[in-house]
Structures are given as structure tokens and as C-alpha cells.
């Protein structure tokens, strides 16, 4: 097969898999095989860019940087919908429809109202041409590059489609993905997003589409503007969109009466909590296209459609006081303690109030009656203050200016919404937080220790820095004990250090010394150095000494290490305390080098490798050495007996062509690392 034919075949195969996975939710291939094929296509496209399909599935990984989004006019205004909040208002709408249809029969479609942001997508000859945000309704931002990263939105339509097609719908982020992103941001000491909707909106406006690709945006389409000249009814047009391979939500119902619509509403009002994404109501649309045209529009809304908004469960309660919590990185988060109130089946006693700006914008005061909602049905938040109930003596909340834990004056770095306690090595929650991070599962993995035990060891004066773990002695910790009260449940639990516990702890700490360098680096808890970044740094610099001696420029030049990470590293290493701690860790035998023995085995026995191109994790020489250390053989040119071609950047097309002709497996350095690690 020629390269061109192979690219074509892979492109169409991968598009089909994307459709099966993201639209039908019925994958027919494992994720691993999919990724392997995608990688193969990417390599082929790099080698033969002229044959690459502009709408290739590889484009979903993003990469395009948009400095300023172009403003594009909408083909017809993107309108909003009128709202109803109860059955009476819905029946009023039905009465208006009955009048406007002049006594003729009519049907409705009932659809879910997705809580995201509206998007208009244009297809030309079946190819995704342009995606535009709602903007002001008449013109919006061209966010095509970002929308192309969304896997459920096809780059190419299927079946028989009109040459010019515009579809509209809603983009959103799934609840679980939101929670994951939020946790990740908190872990990195960043201020978290408020809810999935804002996260999706922020994501769509990111300028680097490869960042967008990392965030799981999804969407459903609910409107087709061009339908090949036929006057399809709305329900049929949804089916038509589905036949083009576009994602149309399944929960759409054709209803013969407003009572049927009401049944749909009551069902989804309950069932919405079981959906993986958020909906804030139901949209009712007159189904017949001609009837829609007859009814027309007001200046803002179609007369033939209406949204029914669910009540978000909201409760009024009182702010007892405002507490400030200090995280591992010194970020200070205000938390309102509330009079307990029932919300969606749980008792809410606290609500996050984000930061100082939020408090002053909402003017939240101690003693205020406030409305709380579950943000995205997950995290309780204050959504309003009932000022009419405010005590006349109440005073505006002043955000604290010293740390509640160690009284150090707080910093608010320029451009950040978050106040920080700069007493990084002396502030108790920062100290404990750093140790908890250090022993974490993905760091040094000392599972015999946890929050409670660390607290006891800290209180006893035995543990102040992660390195102190390695100084702990059996006799010093045996018999320690403390009772700890859980703030939420008020339950008391005793943490005690009996013989077996102590031995487990010491064994776990001892075992952690064999964790590889990348984990140690991650465990240090340097801001912005997450698990992946730690791996990249470790493979690139090979040792802590090299990393510590690297200039800002060297750091910046490392693969995928940007300005923010580089600055954070250089700030961390500028501290004598940090340097001393690292030296002490070294003397306890922790790994501060990528170990040669980590890389040796007989996993590659009898396998012949050709290495070609430039790599970011290893140099070519290193890669070859690793192959040999693991029992493999390096050969310089490709032949039938070659097992793998390890492909780096800028590899010559001739080699690729040859490998392809002979059916030699091509892998990149990441796949190679996985082979060794497995
Ligand atoms: S139809 C002309 N259908 O809700 C009619 N909108 O509050 C256009 N929305 O602007 C809208 N789910 O962003 C329609 N199934 C659905 C929807 C939906 C969510 C959004 C859309 C709209 C807003 C109005």
C-alpha cells in the first residue's frame, strides 16, 4: 500500500472509531489500539504532509494557537428562549401555541436543556468548516480550532448531507471531568473553577487548542438550519442530523400534548441527577416546521419554543462565621460555616466562598442569611445574600491579612485572585500538607502513614519536613497517641502507635527509598511540578544536580517545560532550606538520579531496533544503550528482520517508507518507555 493509501485508510478507519466511541458510545476497538493507530497516522502525516486530510482525527490533539479569535457574523441570529418555571406558565405557553396554530393539530418535541454554551457549526461539503460561539447573538468568536478537538463533533459528515449545513447546539464538560479538573487545580495550588459550565466556557476560549484537547469538552446538537430544501419537522431534522453522524441526545421525545411534555419534565427533574452532564431544564418546541414559521419570533425568542427551568435546590441559611483554610502551597481559601441545612439529601454545614473578590462582590457578611445551592449538584456554594434580612449592625467582611495559622502577613501575587501565606516552611498546615503530599500514593507511596498519623508526629515535634521521616526511630514513636475529631461527623477516633503500626510505618518509609527519581521529584511538591512534569524533568535532566544547576533558560528549553514551571523550579531551588533538605534526603539514600538499573532487564531479548530522528525524553545514544541494557539489539538500517523502528522527530521519509513497505512496527519514545516499564 502506498503511503497515501495508508493515510486514507487509517483516516477513515479512525473517523469511524471516533464516531462509534463518541457518538454511538459503542466502541469496537480498545483505547490502546486506537491510540496506536492514531500515532501511526500522525507519523505518516508528518512524513507525507501533502497527503494529510485537513480534518484528520489527529487534529483532535489540537496544537493551533489562536492569538485573537476572529469575529464572525451568524447566518441568522442566535436567539435565546423564553423561560417557564411552573406548570401554569407552561400551560399558558400551550394556550398561546393553540391560538397561533389557529385550531390546527400540533405536536411538540421535548428535549433536555443542556447547561453549557451555545455553538454554531458550519459544514461545507460535509467538512467541518467553522465553529462560532454565540457572542452577542449576531456575531461570535471563531473557535474552530478548539471545537475540532472535541471528539464527538465529527470533522466529516456521513451519509448524504447538504453541501452547506449549519447546525447549532450546546457544548459542556461532564460532571466527573469537572471534579477531576478541580481536584487537579487544587493539588497544584491553583484557584478552582466554580462549576462545569464556567469551566467549559473558559476552555472554549483558551488560545492553545492543545490545552483544549486535554480537557474533555463534549456536546449535543439540537438545531439544523439548512436541511436540503425540505421542510423537515424538528424531530425529523434531529434524526437527520444523527444520520450525518452528529451527536444528538437520545432523550428527545415527540409529544402529542402538553401533558406528555409535563410527564417528560417530571421524569427528567428526578432523573437528571443520574446524568453524567448537567441540565437545567427541558426545552419544548413545536414540531411542525410550517407551524414554526407561522408563529415566528419576538425580538428575543422564537414563539414556537419555550424552556422549562428546573428548580435548583436552594436553601436559605445563616453564615455563622467565616474560616480561612491554608493549603499545602500556602493558598488561603475562605470557607463559610453555616447553620446546618438539608440540600439534595445531605446536610450542608459549610460552603466555599472562593476568594476575597467573591466575598466583596457578593458582600457576604457573618450573620447574613444566604442562599446555598449545590454547584453542579456537587459542591455547596453561596449564590446570593438576602440583604433584606441583614442585621443593621452587621459589618462588611474584611479578608484577613495575616495567616490564621501562623500569623505571617499574607501575600497576594500580582494577577492572582488568591492570597498566600509565604511562611512555606513554618506554617503548620503547609508543613503537614507537604508531608501528606510527599507520602502520597503517586509520590513516595508510604501507605502506612496518613493524615492523622502525620498530625500526631507533627504535634510530637518529630516531623517538620518530609526528610524527618527518615530520622524516625522505633522507640521515639512507639506509644504515641492522640484523639482526633472529625469536623463533619464530630466522630472521635484515636490514633495510636502500637508495635505493629510502628513497624509498618518504618518499613514503609524504608521501602520508599527505592522510589525512582521522578517520583521523588514529584513528592517534593514544587508548585506546578505534577506527576507528568516530574517525569519529563527527570528524563531530561537525569539528576537532581543537573536540574538544580540548570539556568532559567535551560529549564525553559527542556521539552514541554514552560515559563511558569521554570520560574517555580528556580524559586524552589533558590531556597537554602530546600537545598539542605535535598542534601539530607540524598544522604538517606533517596534516588536523585535516573538509575541505570531501572532501565535494565531482558524485556527486549531477541528484538532488533532501528532508532531514527530526534527524541525529547532521551538522547539517541541513551536510547540505544537502554535497548542493549534490556537485551535488545541495535541495527542501523531497516530490513525484514527489524522488529521496531523507534521514531523521533524529523526522521527522514525514506526510512518511514521502507518500514512501511516491510510492515515494520513504528513506535515513538513514549511507547518505547511503556514497553520497558511494563
Ligand atoms: S433551542 C431558537 N434546544 O439554552 C432556539 N436550546 O436559554 C434555540 N439550550 O440559547 C435554542 N439545550 O444555548 C435549544 N435542547 C436545546 C437546548 C438549548 C440548551 C440552550 C441554548 C439556548 C439557551 C436558552
Amino acid at each position: 500500500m502506498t503511503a497515501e493509501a495508508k493515510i486514507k485508510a487509517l483516516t477513515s478507519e479512525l473517523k469511524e472509531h471516533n464516531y462509534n466511541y463518541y457518538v454511538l458510545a459503542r466502541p469496537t476497538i480498545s483505547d490502546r489500539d486506537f491510540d496506536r493507530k492514531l500515532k501511526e497516522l500522525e507519523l505518516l502525516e508528518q512524513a507525507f504532509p501533502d497527503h494529510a486530510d485537513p480534518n484528520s482525527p489527529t487534529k483532535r490533539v489540537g496544537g493551533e494557537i489562536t492569538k485573537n479569535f476572529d469575529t464572525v457574523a451568524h447566518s441568522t441570529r442566535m436567539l435565546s428562549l423564553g423561560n417557564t418555571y411552573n406548570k401554569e406558565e407552561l400551560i399558558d405557553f400551550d394556550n398561546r401555541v393553540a391560538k397561533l396554530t389557529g385550531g390546527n393539530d400540533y405536536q411538540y418535541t421535548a428535549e433536555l436543556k443542556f447547561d453549557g454554551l451555545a455553538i454554531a457549526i458550519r459544514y461545507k461539503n460535509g467538512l467541518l468548516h467553522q465553529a462560532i460561539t454565540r457572542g452577542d447573538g449576531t456575531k461570535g468568536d471563531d473557535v474552530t480550532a478548539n471545537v475540532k478537538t472535541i471528539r464527538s463533533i465529527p470533522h466529516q459528515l456521513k451519509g448524504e448531507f447538504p453541501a452547506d449545513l449549519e447546525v447549532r447546539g450546546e457544548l459542556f464538560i461532564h460532571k466527573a471531568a469537572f471534579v477531576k479538573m478541580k481536584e487537579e487545580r487544587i493539588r497544584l495550588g491553583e484557584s478552582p473553577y466554580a462549576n462545569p459550565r464556567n469551566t467549559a466556557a473558559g476552555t472554549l476560549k483558551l488560545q492553545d487548542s492543545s490545552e483544549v484537547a486535554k480537557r474533555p469538552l463534549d456536546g449535543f446538537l439540537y438545531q439544523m438550519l439548512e436541511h436540503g430544501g425540505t421542510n423537515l419537522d424538528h424531530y425529523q431534522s434531529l434524526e437527520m442530523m444523527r444520520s450525518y453522524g452528529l451527536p444528538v441526545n437520545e432523550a428527545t421525545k415527540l409529544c402529542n400534548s402538553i401533558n406528555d411534555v409535563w410527564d417528560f419534565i417530571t421524569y427528567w427533574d428526578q432523573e437528571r441527577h443520574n446524568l453524567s452532564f448537567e441540565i437545567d431544564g427541558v426545552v419544548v418546541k413545536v414540531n411542525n416546521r410550517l407551524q414554526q414559521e407561522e408563529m415566528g419570533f419576538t425580538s428575543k425568542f422564537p414563539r414556537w419554543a419555550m424552556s422549562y427551568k428546573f428548580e435548583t435546590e436552594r436553601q436559605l441559611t445563616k453564615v455563622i462565621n467565616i474560616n480561612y483554610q491554608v493549603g499545602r502551597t500556602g493558598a488561603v481559601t475562605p470557607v463559610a460555616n453555616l447553620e446546618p441545612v438539608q440540600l439534595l439529601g445531605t446536610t450542608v454545614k459549610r460552603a466555599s466562598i472562593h476568594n476575597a473578590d467573591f466575598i466583596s462582590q457578593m458582600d457576604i457578611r457573618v450573620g447574613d442569611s444566604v442562599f446555598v445551592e449545590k454547584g453542579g449538584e456537587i459542591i455547596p456554594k453561596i449564590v446570593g445574600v438576602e440583604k433584606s434580612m441583614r442585621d443593621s449592625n452587621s459589618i462588611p467582611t474584611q479578608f484577613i491579612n495575616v495567616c490564621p495559622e501562623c500569623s505571617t502577613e499574607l501575600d497576594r501575587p500580582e494577577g492572582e485572585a488568591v492570597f498566600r501565606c509565604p511562611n512555606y516552611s513554618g506554617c503548620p498546615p503547609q508543613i503537614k500538607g507537604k508531608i501528606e503530599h510527599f507520602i502520597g500514593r503517586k509520590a513516595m507511596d508510604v501507605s502506612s502513614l496518613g493524615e492523622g498519623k502525620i498530625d500526631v508526629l507533627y504535634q510530637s515535634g518529630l516531623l517538620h519536613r518530609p526528610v524527618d521521616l527518615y530520622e524516625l526511630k522505633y522507640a521515639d514513636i512507639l506509644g504515641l497517641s492522640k484523639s482526633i475529631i472529625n469536623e463533619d461527623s464530630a466522630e472521635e477516633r484515636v490514633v495510636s502507635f502500637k508495635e505493629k503500626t510502628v513497624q509498618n510505618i518504618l518499613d514503609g518509609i524504608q521501602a520508599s527509598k527505592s522510589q525512582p527519581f521522578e517520583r521523588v521529584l514529584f513528592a517534593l511538591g514544587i508548585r506546578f511540578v505534577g506527576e507528568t512534569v516530574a517525569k519529563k524533568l527527570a528524563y531530561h535532566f537525569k539528576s537532581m544536580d543537573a536540574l538544580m544547576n540548570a539556568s532559567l533558560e535551560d529549564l525553559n528549553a527542556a521539552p514541554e517545560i514552560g515559563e511558569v514551571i521554570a520560574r517555580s523550579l528556580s524559586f524552589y531551588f533558590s531556597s537554602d532550606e530546600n537545598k539542605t533538605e535535598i542534601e539530607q534526603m540524598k544522604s538517606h539514600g533517596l534516588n536523585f538520579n535516573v538509575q541505570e538499573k531501572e532501565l535494565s532487564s531482558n524485556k527486549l531479548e531477541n528484538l532488533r531496533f532501528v532508532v531514527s530522528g530526534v527524541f525529547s525524553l532521551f538522547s539517541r545514544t541513551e536510547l540505544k544503550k537502554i535497548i542493549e541494557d534490556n537485551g535488545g539489539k541495535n541495527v542501523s538500517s531497516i530490513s525484514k528482520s527489524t522488529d521496531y523502528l523507534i521514531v523521533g522527530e524529523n526522521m527522514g521519509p525514506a526510512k518511514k517508507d521502507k518500514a512501511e513497505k516491510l510492515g515494520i512496527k513504528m513506535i515513538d519514545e513514549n511507547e518505547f518507555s511503556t514497553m520497558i516499564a511494563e
Side-chain angles (χ1 to χ4, degrees):
M1 212 191 279
T2 63
E4 185 180 2
K6 180 95 188 157
I7 288 178
K8 268 213 173 108
L10 266 176
T11 305
S12 82
E13 185 190 341
L14 288 168
K15 279 182 181 170
E16 196 59 34
H17 287 312
N18 264 336
Y19 174 73
N20 291 339
Y21 188 99
Y22 290 103
V23 180
L24 301 182
R26 281 197 299 271
T28 55
I29 182 174
S30 72
D31 288 359
R32 222 190 141 98
D33 286 344
F34 180 90
D35 289 343
R36 208 169 280 152
K37 282 178 193 275
L38 191 72
K39 194 83 215 169
E40 192 182 346
L41 178 60
E42 206 179 326
L43 293 173
L44 283 164
E45 288 175 346
Q46 274 167 19
F48 305 97
D50 291 349
H51 297 318
D53 179 336
N55 282 310
S56 162
T58 58
K59 299 286 182 295
R60 303 222 188 251
V61 294
E64 225 171 285
I65 307 280
T66 314
K67 278 276 170 286
N68 284 308
F69 296 105
D70 284 341
T71 307
V72 181
H74 286 299
S75 54
T76 61
R77 268 187 69 197
M78 277 184 93
L79 294 173
S80 189
L81 292 169
N83 290 324
T84 54
Y85 295 92
N86 52 49
K87 196 169 178 186
E88 288 69 44
E89 290 174 2
L90 189 73
I91 290 174
D92 286 347
F93 165 69
D94 184 49
N95 289 335
R96 289 199 297 278
V97 171
K99 229 185 203 166
L100 287 165
T101 46
N104 288 319
D105 274 353
Y106 54 88
Q107 284 181 305
Y108 291 115
T109 54
E111 295 166 23
L112 302 183
K113 186 171 185 312
F114 314 106
D115 192 12
L117 48 142
I119 192 84
I121 308 180
R122 295 177 185 165
Y123 285 88
K124 280 214 161 115
N125 298 318
L127 295 180
L128 198 164
H129 171 66
Q130 208 165 35
I132 314 157
T133 61
R134 173 212 294 280
D136 64 3
T138 38
K139 52 189 179 341
D141 286 333
D142 181 337
V143 287
T144 313
N146 288 349
V147 168
K148 278 191 170 175
T149 66
I150 304 173
R151 291 169 191 266
S152 55
I153 307 288
H155 290 183
Q156 186 159 23
L157 298 178
K158 298 157 86 77
E160 286 195 22
F161 41 76
D164 271 310
L165 178 77
E166 180 171 337
V167 288
R168 291 179 179 178
E170 200 85 352
L171 301 179
F172 53 81
I173 199 156
H174 289 268
K175 291 182 205 170
F178 165 71
V179 174
K180 220 169 134 195
M181 278 178 66
K182 187 180 163 91
E183 283 167 356
E184 174 68 7
R185 283 183 73 94
I186 292 174
R187 211 169 51 75
L188 290 175
E190 303 286 281
S191 55
Y193 298 100
N195 57 42
R197 199 190 164 282
N198 291 0
T199 314
T203 301
L204 199 64
K205 291 293 183 70
L206 287 176
Q207 292 182 333
D208 180 351
S209 64
S210 61
E211 259 315 298
V212 180
K214 290 184 203 150
R215 301 184 181 187
L217 279 179
D218 203 346
F220 286 120
L221 298 163
Y222 48 65
Q223 196 184 6
M224 180 160 79
L225 293 196
E226 188 63 52
H227 31 89
T230 60
N231 273 321
L232 289 179
D233 286 346
H234 181 65
Y235 193 78
Q236 288 173 310
S237 75
L238 294 177
E239 287 189 327
M240 189 61 90
M241 284 200 281
R242 213 175 265 136
S243 79
Y244 300 154
L246 293 163
V248 174
N249 185 252
E250 293 287 335
T252 303
K253 197 173 165 218
L254 196 54
C255 300
N256 286 321
S257 70
I258 203 73
N259 282 334
D260 286 359
V261 173
W262 184 248
D263 290 346
F264 183 88
I265 290 173
T266 45
Y267 175 79
W268 282 108
D269 195 3
Q270 289 301 313
E271 212 33 47
R272 66 185 155 127
H273 306 298
N274 297 323
L275 287 170
S276 66
F277 51 86
E278 299 215 329
I279 60 171
D280 57 347
V282 161
V283 182
V284 195
K285 298 171 184 170
V286 170
N287 187 44
N288 184 287
R289 187 75 61 174
L290 296 174
Q291 286 176 335
Q292 283 187 359
E293 275 169 23
E294 274 166 30
M295 287 180 212
F297 301 87
T298 70
S299 62
K300 282 202 212 142
F301 314 127
R303 288 200 182 86
W304 44 264
M306 184 55 80
S307 91
Y308 177 92
K309 289 284 208 79
F310 293 135
E311 233 176 278
T312 16
E313 214 198 330
R314 167 182 286 215
Q315 291 291 352
L316 194 63
T317 183
K318 256 190 170 177
V319 177
I320 303 172
N321 58 32
I322 294 176
N323 267 348
Y324 296 86
Q325 292 176 348
V326 185
R328 163 172 76 83
T329 59
V332 178
T333 317
V335 176
N337 286 314
L338 308 168
E339 277 181 3
V341 66
Q342 282 296 115
L343 202 58
L344 285 171
T346 55
T347 309
V348 173
K349 293 181 188 160
R350 275 195 293 258
S352 158
I353 36 180
H354 311 300
N355 53 44
D357 292 345
F358 185 81
I359 297 180
S360 57
Q361 276 156 19
M362 300 268 281
D363 187 17
I364 301 170
R365 304 181 185 188
V366 170
D368 270 352
S369 295
V370 291
F371 290 103
V372 282
E373 267 181 19
K374 285 214 173 163
E377 324 291 1
I378 305 160
I379 310 119
K381 60 179 181 188
I382 293 182
V383 291
V385 178
E386 187 49 71
K387 297 208 172 121
S388 66
M389 293 169 78
R390 177 173 280 169
D391 190 302
S392 56
N393 299 323
S394 86
I395 41 168
T397 302
Q398 273 290 330
F399 201 89
I400 49 169
N401 49 23
V402 294
C403 176
E405 304 279 347
C406 70
S407 305
T408 305
E409 199 172 318
L410 300 181
D411 261 358
R412 186 177 186 171
E414 229 182 277
E416 286 191 25
V418 176
F419 277 92
R420 277 179 205 280
C421 166
N423 183 14
Y424 303 116
S425 56
C427 176
Q430 294 193 59
I431 295 171
K432 286 188 273 182
K434 278 193 190 89
I435 300 171
E436 280 160 25
H437 171 80
F438 186 83
I439 56 137
R441 198 169 50 81
K442 292 181 169 176
M444 304 303 274
D445 194 21
V446 186
S447 56
S448 44
L449 275 174
E451 205 180 319
K453 294 202 179 78
I454 286 174
D455 192 31
V456 178
L457 293 170
Y458 170 75
Q459 300 286 347
S460 325
L462 293 167
L463 203 53
H464 214 80
R465 305 162 305 159
V467 72
D468 298 336
L469 287 167
Y470 300 94
E471 308 271 353
L472 292 176
K473 306 271 177 313
Y474 189 90
D476 294 341
I477 57 178
L478 185 69
L480 291 177
S481 130
K482 194 186 163 210
S483 83
I484 292 181
I485 295 168
N486 179 307
E487 273 185 55
D488 282 315
S489 61
E491 271 173 29
E492 189 179 343
R493 139 182 107 89
V494 179
V495 177
S496 54
F497 289 70
K498 302 202 177 101
E499 279 116 355
K500 194 147 191 274
T501 315
V502 173
Q503 198 51 55
N504 281 344
I505 293 172
L506 294 178
D507 289 349
I509 294 172
Q510 184 63 25
S512 77
K513 290 184 184 173
S514 60
Q515 294 292 4
F517 174 40
E518 62 264 29
R519 274 190 178 238
V520 182
L521 186 54
F522 168 61
L524 293 177
I526 304 170
R527 255 188 107 195
F528 304 112
V529 180
E531 225 187 319
T532 317
V533 170
K535 256 187 207 157
K536 290 199 167 122
L537 289 167
Y539 285 138
H540 184 76
F541 289 98
K542 307 286 183 301
S543 70
M544 193 56 149
D545 288 341
L547 181 62
M548 283 167 91
N549 291 327
S551 65
L552 253 184
E553 270 166 18
D554 295 337
L555 291 167
N556 245 322
E560 290 175 62
I561 303 303
E563 185 75 25
V564 176
I565 300 172
R567 284 195 183 285
S568 170
L569 284 162
S570 118
F571 176 71
Y572 184 88
F573 294 129
S574 68
S575 144
D576 286 337
E577 279 173 65
N578 291 340
K579 283 194 277 202
T580 310
E581 188 174 9
I582 290 169
E583 282 314 312
Q584 290 170 340
M585 284 181 178
K586 266 187 201 165
S587 66
H588 281 290
L590 271 67
N591 282 323
F592 282 99
N593 293 298
V594 172
Q595 284 178 324
E596 292 300 325
K597 73 171 170 29
E598 263 172 48
L599 303 172
S600 54
S601 74
N602 55 1
K603 284 178 186 153
L604 308 180
E605 211 169 326
N606 298 328
L607 296 177
R608 296 161 77 88
F609 289 82
V610 172
V611 175
S612 181
V614 181
F615 300 90
S616 53
L617 295 179
F618 317 94
S619 73
R620 279 246 297 261
T621 327
E622 279 162 348
L623 202 53
K624 288 186 170 172
K625 182 164 179 330
I626 298 171
I627 291 173
E628 276 167 21
D629 288 348
N630 285 280
K633 198 164 182 256
N634 287 297
V635 285
S636 54
S637 63
I638 299 172
S639 72
K640 266 198 306 211
S641 61
T642 309
D643 293 290
Y644 287 95
L645 169 61
I646 309 185
V647 183
E649 293 228 354
N650 301 329
M651 173 180 128
K655 259 201 180 125
K656 244 176 230 173
D657 231 6
K658 189 159 181 198
E660 210 166 75
K661 272 194 197 118
L662 296 171
I664 310 295
K665 277 191 205 139
M666 291 190 262
I667 56 172
D668 66 9
E669 55 185 334
N670 286 311
E671 287 165 304
F672 174 76
S673 310
T674 316
M675 259 172 104
I676 304 288
E678 261 169 4

